[in-house]
Amino acid sequence: MEYRFKIILIGPGAVGKTSILMRFIHNKFSKSYKMTIGVDFLNKELKIDDGIARLTIWDVAGQKRFRFMRKNFYSGAAGALLVFDLTRENTFQEVIRRWYPEMTQFLDKDVPFILIGNKVDLIEEIGSVTDSENAKKFAKSKGSFYIETSAKTGQNVEDAFMELTRRIADQAS
Ligand code: G3D
Ligand code: MG
């Protein structure tokens, strides 16, 4: 089977959406890389159980410009990665109060998403700031899956995309 899916990365500013995408696409973490001009999406192929998935992954290039692009951005998305920052509890609240509701407003209820707590590498230094159990519970209550990633070390980044892609493919077949 060959699949083509549009995937979107959403969440508050500076949680690491662009860094996660850079890690996934180029297997790189660069502090100076700023994807702010021109590029709105990138492509990557992912091997899954019964074939290949050609992913087009859309990233928010600048939060301000996003407001005008919203419809375009969500249009046709088969799945979403909903990202918050494990070192900033308010970003989890923002995801629940703003990003999740917005997503359900623009996408069908049954469109799969994965909830990501990013920057897990920092948690080893500073100790836990957000309640992982809460995040797990929220994801579960929406039929979703919670995973903690680090764009810096690469931990669980591919797994997050893989889990989402599998869920979309399962639904499509
Ligand atoms: P955004 O696209 O969601 O706005 P960015 O977020 O990818 O631009 O990342 C915001 C900042 O967080 C960047 O730092 C980036 O290097 C850092 N960051 C992203 N992911 C991780 C991670 O997994 N671990 C750590 N330690 N840092 C991360 P700057 O300093 O450039 O603002
Ligand atoms: Mg970004």
Side-chain angles (χ1 to χ4, degrees):
M1 261 315 259
E2 186 190 306
Y3 301 98
R4 276 170 203 279
F5 299 137
K6 171 179 173 178
I7 287 176
I8 57 175
L9 272 159
I10 50 178
V15 297
K17 299 179 297 295
T18 302
S19 301
I20 287 171
L21 185 56
M22 287 305 112
R23 170 60 72 186
F24 181 57
I25 302 275
H26 301 299
N27 198 22
K28 259 190 206 147
F29 179 76
S30 166
K31 282 213 76 91
S32 59
Y33 196 103
K34 291 281 174 210
M35 204 173 70
T36 46
I37 26 170
V39 189
D40 290 311
F41 54 82
L42 290 168
N43 297 304
K44 176 141 169 147
E45 292 178 0
L46 204 55
K47 245 194 83 46
I48 53 173
D49 306 327
D50 65 334
I52 189 146
R54 297 186 202 286
L55 306 178
T56 301
I57 306 144
W58 290 54
D59 182 30
V60 181
Q63 304 283 322
K64 260 193 195 140
R65 207 177 122 227
F66 179 60
R67 282 186 209 139
F68 304 99
M69 299 250 325
R70 218 167 247 171
K71 249 202 158 138
N72 218 345
F73 183 82
Y74 280 105
S75 174
L81 294 170
L82 209 50
V83 188
F84 69 94
D85 180 343
L86 284 166
T87 70
R88 288 183 294 145
E89 151 76 15
N90 63 310
T91 61
F92 175 63
Q93 298 304 332
E94 246 184 275
V95 158
I96 286 176
R97 294 205 186 109
R98 180 182 157 210
W99 290 92
Y100 178 75
E102 179 174 299
M103 184 186 95
T104 55
Q105 183 193 326
F106 283 95
L107 300 179
D108 281 349
K109 265 234 167 79
D110 57 350
V111 169
F113 76 94
I114 301 290
L115 180 64
I116 294 182
N118 186 43
K119 308 194 188 180
V120 70
D121 59 284
L122 292 174
I123 295 308
E124 278 145 36
E125 294 166 34
I126 64 174
S128 90
V129 175
T130 45
D131 186 351
S132 295
E133 283 308 312
N134 249 355
K136 228 179 263 174
K137 255 186 242 159
F138 175 77
K140 208 174 165 194
S141 75
K142 306 295 180 194
S144 174
F145 182 79
Y146 172 61
I147 192 165
E148 296 184 338
T149 63
S150 167
K152 189 173 183 181
T153 67
Q155 185 181 336
N156 283 345
V157 169
E158 194 163 300
D159 286 359
F161 282 93
M162 186 63 92
E163 180 65 31
L164 179 63
T165 304
R166 281 216 186 97
R167 281 168 182 249
I168 301 169
D170 279 352
Q171 236 182 32
S173 58

XYZ file of all heavy atoms in Angstrom, residues 122-170:
380
model
N 15.514 18.178 29.172
C 15.707 19.185 30.226
C 15.155 18.728 31.570
O 15.615 19.158 32.625
C 15.030 20.507 29.822
C 15.659 21.247 28.640
C 14.803 22.458 28.265
C 17.081 21.695 28.974
N 14.178 17.842 31.512
C 13.532 17.368 32.740
C 14.518 16.598 33.620
O 14.441 16.643 34.848
C 12.291 16.505 32.388
C 11.229 17.372 31.700
C 11.703 15.837 33.606
C 10.866 18.642 32.438
N 15.471 15.943 32.973
C 16.487 15.228 33.740
C 17.290 16.197 34.612
O 17.733 15.842 35.705
C 17.404 14.437 32.793
C 16.778 13.116 32.391
C 17.082 12.687 30.960
O 18.197 12.946 30.489
O 16.177 12.109 30.333
N 17.447 17.444 34.126
C 18.200 18.444 34.900
C 17.330 19.158 35.933
O 17.713 19.300 37.089
C 18.787 19.515 33.971
C 19.853 19.005 33.016
C 20.145 20.010 31.911
O 20.079 21.227 32.181
O 20.413 19.568 30.774
N 16.160 19.622 35.488
C 15.380 20.507 36.355
C 14.289 19.788 37.146
O 13.657 20.399 38.004
C 14.744 21.672 35.555
C 13.719 21.142 34.538
C 15.802 22.508 34.852
C 12.963 22.244 33.829
N 14.081 18.521 36.876
C 13.000 17.803 37.558
C 11.680 18.076 36.866
O 11.571 18.987 36.057
N 10.647 17.294 37.214
C 9.418 17.408 36.433
C 8.620 18.649 36.830
O 8.560 19.041 37.993
C 8.600 16.134 36.537
O 7.731 16.195 37.601
N 8.058 19.299 35.814
C 7.325 20.546 35.978
C 5.839 20.324 35.709
O 4.976 20.851 36.388
C 7.869 21.621 34.995
C 7.033 22.889 35.057
C 9.336 21.921 35.301
N 5.576 19.515 34.702
C 4.184 19.203 34.358
C 3.850 17.790 34.833
O 4.733 16.955 34.998
C 3.948 19.268 32.842
O 5.027 18.588 32.198
C 3.888 20.690 32.344
N 2.567 17.549 35.029
C 2.103 16.257 35.501
C 1.874 15.329 34.297
O 0.903 15.476 33.575
C 0.807 16.472 36.291
C 0.333 15.187 36.947
O 0.904 14.115 36.642
O -0.616 15.265 37.750
N 2.780 14.390 34.121
C 2.679 13.468 32.986
C 1.389 12.659 33.028
O 0.819 12.329 31.989
C 3.867 12.503 32.964
O 5.054 13.201 32.736
N 0.943 12.343 34.242
C -0.285 11.550 34.391
C -1.491 12.312 33.829
O -2.366 11.726 33.204
C -0.532 11.199 35.858
C 0.358 10.075 36.370
C 0.327 8.828 35.481
O -0.795 8.382 35.120
O 1.407 8.321 35.129
N -1.500 13.619 34.067
C -2.550 14.480 33.533
C -2.575 14.453 32.013
O -3.628 14.354 31.396
C -2.272 15.930 33.960
C -3.291 16.414 34.950
O -4.249 15.700 35.234
N -3.076 17.607 35.472
N -1.388 14.571 31.444
C -1.263 14.563 29.984
C -1.728 13.221 29.429
O -2.448 13.162 28.433
C 0.181 14.844 29.580
N -1.317 12.162 30.108
C -1.708 10.811 29.693
C -3.228 10.666 29.731
O -3.848 10.144 28.811
C -1.069 9.798 30.649
C -0.366 8.643 29.935
C 0.254 7.687 30.938
C 1.735 7.976 31.147
N 2.345 7.154 32.217
N -3.806 11.144 30.826
C -5.253 11.050 31.029
C -6.008 11.817 29.952
O -6.986 11.324 29.402
C -5.635 11.623 32.407
C -5.983 10.550 33.423
C -6.495 11.206 34.705
C -5.577 10.863 35.882
N -5.692 11.808 37.004
N -5.536 13.035 29.685
C -6.188 13.858 28.670
C -6.154 13.145 27.319
O -7.181 13.014 26.647
C -5.527 15.237 28.552
C -6.091 16.061 27.434
C -7.312 16.696 27.580
C -5.409 16.187 26.222
C -7.857 17.445 26.546
C -5.950 16.927 25.182
C -7.174 17.560 25.339
N -4.970 12.677 26.941
C -4.824 11.999 25.650
C -5.750 10.788 25.569
O -6.462 10.592 24.584
C -3.373 11.585 25.429
N -5.750 10.013 26.631
C -6.566 8.791 26.653
C -8.044 9.122 26.522
O -8.790 8.432 25.812
C -6.294 8.015 27.946
C -6.515 6.519 27.792
C -6.116 5.749 29.025
C -6.691 4.338 28.962
N -6.627 3.669 30.261
N -8.471 10.179 27.209
C -9.888 10.543 27.186
C -10.340 10.957 25.788
O -11.530 10.936 25.482
C -10.164 11.676 28.180
O -9.677 12.907 27.674
N -9.379 11.328 24.935
C -9.711 11.705 23.561
C -9.357 10.591 22.578
O -9.243 10.821 21.367
C -8.958 12.983 23.156
C -9.152 14.151 24.089
C -10.593 14.622 24.094
C -10.763 15.803 25.050
N -12.181 16.077 25.335
N -9.112 9.405 23.099
C -8.770 8.275 22.230
C -7.392 8.428 21.612
O -7.084 7.835 20.579
N -6.548 9.219 22.251
C -5.237 9.505 21.690
C -4.127 8.877 22.533
O -4.374 8.050 23.402
C -5.063 11.018 21.596
O -3.752 11.334 21.194
N -2.929 9.302 22.269
C -1.729 8.685 22.813
C -0.778 9.799 23.229
O -0.635 10.788 22.527
C -1.129 7.840 21.688
C 0.097 7.066 22.036
C 0.018 5.874 22.739
C 1.350 7.517 21.626
C 1.157 5.152 23.044
C 2.493 6.796 21.930
C 2.391 5.607 22.636
N -0.156 9.630 24.397
C 0.772 10.658 24.900
C 2.206 10.137 24.856
O 2.477 8.995 25.243
C 0.401 11.027 26.335
C 1.413 11.943 27.005
C 1.688 13.204 26.477
C 2.094 11.540 28.151
C 2.622 14.041 27.082
C 3.025 12.369 28.764
C 3.285 13.617 28.220
O 4.213 14.427 28.809
N 3.111 10.977 24.377
C 4.505 10.563 24.300
C 5.405 11.756 24.645
O 5.057 12.903 24.370
C 4.825 9.975 22.893
C 6.173 9.277 22.856
C 4.735 11.030 21.803
C 6.373 8.375 21.628
N 6.541 11.473 25.289
C 7.490 12.534 25.637
C 8.702 12.444 24.721
O 9.282 11.373 24.546
C 7.884 12.424 27.118
C 6.678 12.653 28.018
C 6.954 12.665 29.514
O 7.971 12.105 29.953
O 6.099 13.237 30.239
N 9.062 13.581 24.133
C 10.129 13.599 23.128
C 11.227 14.597 23.494
O 11.035 15.467 24.343
C 9.581 14.029 21.748
O 9.084 15.371 21.847
C 8.491 13.106 21.252
N 12.342 14.459 22.807
C 13.369 15.497 22.818
C 13.858 15.697 21.393
O 14.415 14.783 20.786
C 14.549 15.106 23.706
O 15.638 15.990 23.461
N 13.627 16.898 20.877
C 14.168 17.213 19.554
C 15.687 17.309 19.642
O 16.393 17.086 18.660
C 13.583 18.531 19.052
N 16.179 17.605 20.848
C 17.615 17.762 21.037
C 18.350 16.423 20.931
O 19.328 16.305 20.198
C 17.892 18.416 22.393
C 19.335 18.811 22.575
C 19.537 19.597 23.848
C 20.984 20.056 23.966
N 21.206 20.793 25.219
N 17.879 15.434 21.649
C 18.542 14.120 21.610
C 17.930 13.198 20.552
O 18.522 12.187 20.188
C 18.428 13.400 22.970
O 17.050 13.068 23.197
C 18.953 14.258 24.096
N 16.732 13.535 20.112
C 16.037 12.694 19.144
C 15.122 11.664 19.787
O 14.372 10.973 19.096
N 15.152 11.595 21.095
C 14.347 10.604 21.817
C 12.874 10.652 21.424
O 12.231 11.698 21.536
C 14.497 10.847 23.332
C 13.801 9.816 24.203
C 13.961 10.131 25.695
O 14.911 10.811 26.099
N 13.040 9.650 26.503
N 12.365 9.492 20.970
C 10.938 9.298 20.657
C 10.379 10.144 19.512
O 9.174 10.094 19.270
C 10.071 9.552 21.906
C 10.116 8.389 22.864
O 10.552 7.293 22.498
N 9.686 8.597 24.087
N 11.215 10.894 18.813
C 10.679 11.760 17.758
C 10.106 10.917 16.616
O 8.962 11.098 16.191
C 11.735 12.758 17.233
C 11.260 13.452 15.971
C 12.046 13.798 18.314
N 10.904 9.963 16.140
C 10.390 9.126 15.047
C 9.191 8.298 15.522
O 8.231 8.106 14.768
C 11.488 8.226 14.489
C 11.044 7.624 13.168
C 12.187 7.063 12.342
O 13.081 7.844 11.991
O 12.156 5.853 12.056
N 9.252 7.833 16.767
C 8.143 7.047 17.319
C 6.831 7.829 17.301
O 5.771 7.254 17.048
C 8.440 6.623 18.761
C 9.472 5.505 18.813
O 9.923 5.072 17.740
O 9.819 5.078 19.925
N 6.922 9.117 17.586
C 5.714 9.944 17.602
C 5.089 10.002 16.207
O 3.879 9.811 16.046
C 6.037 11.352 18.097
N 5.922 10.240 15.196
C 5.424 10.275 13.810
C 4.905 8.903 13.384
O 3.899 8.796 12.695
C 6.524 10.749 12.857
C 6.750 12.231 12.882
C 7.706 12.797 13.703
C 5.988 13.077 12.077
C 7.916 14.177 13.735
C 6.193 14.458 12.093
C 7.151 15.003 12.929
N 5.640 7.873 13.806
C 5.252 6.505 13.440
C 3.902 6.136 14.045
O 3.042 5.593 13.361
C 6.350 5.540 13.929
C 6.145 4.123 13.508
S 6.182 3.915 11.709
C 7.898 3.538 11.486
N 3.737 6.443 15.310
C 2.481 6.115 15.999
C 1.305 6.837 15.330
O 0.253 6.247 15.095
C 2.596 6.505 17.482
C 1.369 6.212 18.323
C 1.052 4.728 18.465
O 1.999 3.912 18.441
O -0.145 4.384 18.587
N 1.516 8.115 15.008
C 0.453 8.886 14.363
C 0.142 8.304 12.983
O -1.021 8.092 12.632
C 0.847 10.357 14.231
C -0.188 11.246 13.536
C -1.500 11.299 14.333
C 0.340 12.658 13.315
N 1.190 8.020 12.215
C 1.006 7.513 10.851
C 0.275 6.170 10.860
O -0.615 5.929 10.052
C 2.368 7.380 10.152
O 3.023 8.644 10.196
C 2.206 6.961 8.707
N 0.651 5.309 11.811
C -0.034 4.014 11.945
C -1.513 4.201 12.224
O -2.357 3.513 11.664
C 0.582 3.209 13.097
C 1.859 2.532 12.736
C 1.956 1.169 13.440
N 3.265 0.584 13.203
C 4.287 0.676 14.056
N 4.134 1.285 15.210
N 5.438 0.132 13.759
N -1.804 5.130 13.127
C -3.201 5.366 13.483
C -4.003 5.878 12.283
O -5.148 5.483 12.081
C -3.301 6.370 14.643
C -3.004 5.714 15.975
C -2.822 6.709 17.087
N -2.501 5.984 18.310
C -3.316 5.894 19.362
N -4.476 6.501 19.355
N -2.968 5.186 20.410
N -3.371 6.752 11.492
C -4.070 7.273 10.306
C -4.279 6.151 9.295
O -5.366 5.987 8.739
C -3.270 8.420 9.645
C -3.041 9.565 10.631
C -4.000 8.934 8.417
C -2.038 10.611 10.134
N -3.234 5.358 9.078
C -3.319 4.267 8.099
C -4.361 3.233 8.518
O -5.125 2.740 7.688
C -1.948 3.605 7.931
N -4.407 2.919 9.807
C -5.400 1.965 10.319
C -6.809 2.436 10.015
O -7.680 1.654 9.656
C -5.271 1.819 11.844
C -4.136 0.873 12.216
O -3.580 0.250 11.284
O -3.813 0.781 13.413
